[in-house]
Amino acid sequence: MFPKNTWYVACTPTEIDDKPLGRQICGEKIVFYRGADEKVAALEDFCPHRGAQLSLGQVCEGKLVCGYHGLVMGCDGKTVSMPGQRVQGFPAIRSYPVVERHGFIWVWPGDPALADADRIHRLEWADNPDWAYAGGLYHIACDYRLMIDNLMDLTHETYVHTTSIGQKEIDQTPVTTRTEGDTVVTSRFMENVMPPPFWRANLRGNNLADDVPVDRWQVCRFSPPSHIMIEVGVAHAGKGGYGADPKHKVHAVVVDFLTPETETSMWYFWGMARNLNPRDRALTAQIRDGQAKVFAEDTAVLEAQQRNLSQYPQRKLLMLNVDAGGVQSRRILGRLVAQEQPPRVS
């Protein structure tokens, strides 16, 4: 269950620099490539001649060439030519609205008439020299909503991430949830706790003591269709916590773009943006590698969870107060999906 009249992150620019990329998004098989003037294009991954995957072809002079019989496609989905054949009368295949922005390629899998690039989320840290960003991509065999649940309730860190970001105080500190329009916010503020390994390393990265108590925060923001930004950080205890002067803290934004592939699989674009020592490439690599290990732990849990849910679809899941962020997010998604359904004919 996913809305289609919205923008999803489809890929990163480097994935299509040298060749076409085939990727299934919201059940739609799409080929992404750079057309004329290096502008990004997105077409149905289906050659109108014999149904071959266009993503297995190549790009030549801004046009997509099928790797089966050499049929040439234009960025508008119309057939341009084919060696020795008259093919201009072929019906056009579907083209998708696509935009390159903020270091990502965004696609609109729904009604193209409704696509508005101004609806792409503004990312304050993108294209800003005072910030550094690094991340990666995981393909995960689970319903993307399970990852929304996971990210909007960080209680699991105590148990899943015991050697990196987990600590018992997460369990002991209540979480608050609020809804602001179509945005859901969950927050947890821990005071006078010892930093876990991940944050000790980052304190050292900012030349701060890592063996003293800190105030720690987690503020998770869900925005439809499936984008979650999490403000995280620690400050030396007694220095103001979340609002502490930068010289006393380390903080960042955990970036999570969840793009459904099918009902039970997804593309997970993850990363971290920070304005702490943005030109320190070693620190950037250290944070990225640490994040990769953390999210790999989530992947193992979520894929096992999906297998269980698929095997026992009749089982009802229980809801607790810590689940409020995921529940509210799912309600918004349910409403958006319902709005896209055609009216019933009585």
Side-chain angles (χ1 to χ4, degrees):
M1 183 181 78
F2 29 73
K4 287 192 172 184
N5 289 327
T6 187
W7 293 101
Y8 289 97
V9 172
C11 60
T12 57
T14 56
E15 291 185 272
I16 59 171
D17 279 347
D18 301 323
K19 59 184 179 180
L21 172 72
R23 182 153 289 166
Q24 186 169 350
I25 295 175
C26 294
E28 307 277 341
K29 292 188 175 181
I30 307 173
V31 54
F32 299 89
Y33 66 101
R34 294 196 180 277
D37 301 323
E38 293 297 299
K39 187 176 181 180
V40 179
L43 299 177
E44 181 182 4
D45 197 3
F46 188 96
C47 178
H49 173 219
R50 301 298 296 167
Q53 287 183 252
L54 291 169
S55 57
L56 298 179
Q58 60 183 321
V59 179
C60 183
E61 297 180 349
K63 296 180 177 60
L64 184 58
V65 181
C66 179
Y68 195 14
H69 294 95
L71 182 140
V72 180
M73 299 297 304
C75 295
D76 57 0
K78 295 180 180 179
T79 302
V80 176
S81 64
M82 182 174 169
Q85 304 294 321
R86 294 182 178 181
V87 294
Q88 285 77 10
F90 275 16
I93 61 173
R94 182 178 178 184
S95 63
Y96 294 83
V98 62
V99 175
E100 184 169 1
R101 186 173 294 179
H102 305 323
F104 298 96
I105 308 299
W106 303 75
V107 68
W108 181 283
D111 183 349
L114 301 177
D116 179 359
D118 289 340
R119 291 173 59 181
I120 294 176
H121 292 290
R122 181 174 177 269
L123 304 178
E124 293 81 0
W125 44 266
D127 305 316
N128 186 333
D130 294 330
W131 286 73
Y133 173 84
L137 169 63
Y138 283 150
H139 179 259
I140 305 179
C142 79
D143 183 332
Y144 78 108
R145 293 174 297 175
L146 296 181
M147 181 62 86
I148 292 175
D149 297 342
N150 173 279
L151 294 169
M152 293 301 288
D153 168 28
L154 299 181
T155 305
H156 72 277
E157 288 184 357
T158 302
Y159 308 97
V160 178
H161 308 302
T162 56
T163 62
S164 55
I165 56 177
Q167 59 186 124
K168 66 181 187 302
E169 287 86 359
I170 296 175
D171 252 358
Q172 299 167 354
T173 307
V175 62
T176 61
T177 303
R178 68 181 189 274
T179 301
E180 303 170 350
D182 279 348
T183 298
V184 180
V185 183
T186 63
S187 55
R188 178 183 278 113
F189 297 91
M190 293 160 273
E191 297 182 351
N192 202 39
V193 301
M194 293 305 295
F198 179 85
W199 285 112
R200 288 204 302 269
N202 283 283
L203 284 164
R204 293 193 298 271
N206 197 30
N207 299 312
L208 291 170
D210 69 339
D211 58 352
V212 298
V214 297
D215 297 330
R216 181 182 178 188
W217 58 90
Q218 302 167 325
V219 182
C220 311
R221 288 183 170 85
F222 164 86
S223 300
S226 48
H227 307 153
I228 299 174
M229 304 291 130
I230 308 177
E231 292 182 74
V232 293
V234 296
H236 282 173
K239 299 296 185 179
Y242 180 84
D245 188 285
K247 66 183 180 183
H248 297 303
K249 69 181 179 181
V250 288
H251 62 108
V253 178
V254 178
V255 178
D256 307 281
F257 294 122
L258 319 179
T259 300
E261 179 187 40
T262 68
E263 296 285 353
T264 56
S265 61
M266 60 169 283
W267 304 100
Y268 180 24
F269 298 86
W270 55 266
M272 182 175 281
R274 74 180 196 284
N275 60 358
L276 159 70
N277 299 333
R279 294 167 185 80
D280 188 336
R281 294 185 178 181
L283 179 59
T284 299
Q286 171 192 306
I287 292 173
R288 182 192 61 235
D289 293 345
Q291 264 199 304
K293 294 176 182 177
V294 169
F295 291 141
E297 294 168 341
D298 283 318
T299 296
V301 171
L302 293 172
E303 291 189 335
Q305 181 186 12
Q306 182 63 63
R307 289 193 294 270
N308 249 1
L309 294 173
S310 296
Q311 185 173 359
Y312 304 104
Q314 74 284 0
R315 298 288 291 269
K316 183 177 180 180
L317 303 183
L318 305 178
M319 298 299 173
L320 301 172
N321 60 343
V322 294
D323 302 312
V327 170
Q328 294 297 330
S329 301
R330 285 184 180 234
R331 285 178 180 169
I332 292 170
L333 287 171
R335 174 171 51 78
L336 295 176
V337 170
Q339 289 173 353
E340 293 183 4
Q341 304 309 305
R344 293 183 179 181
V345 178
S346 57

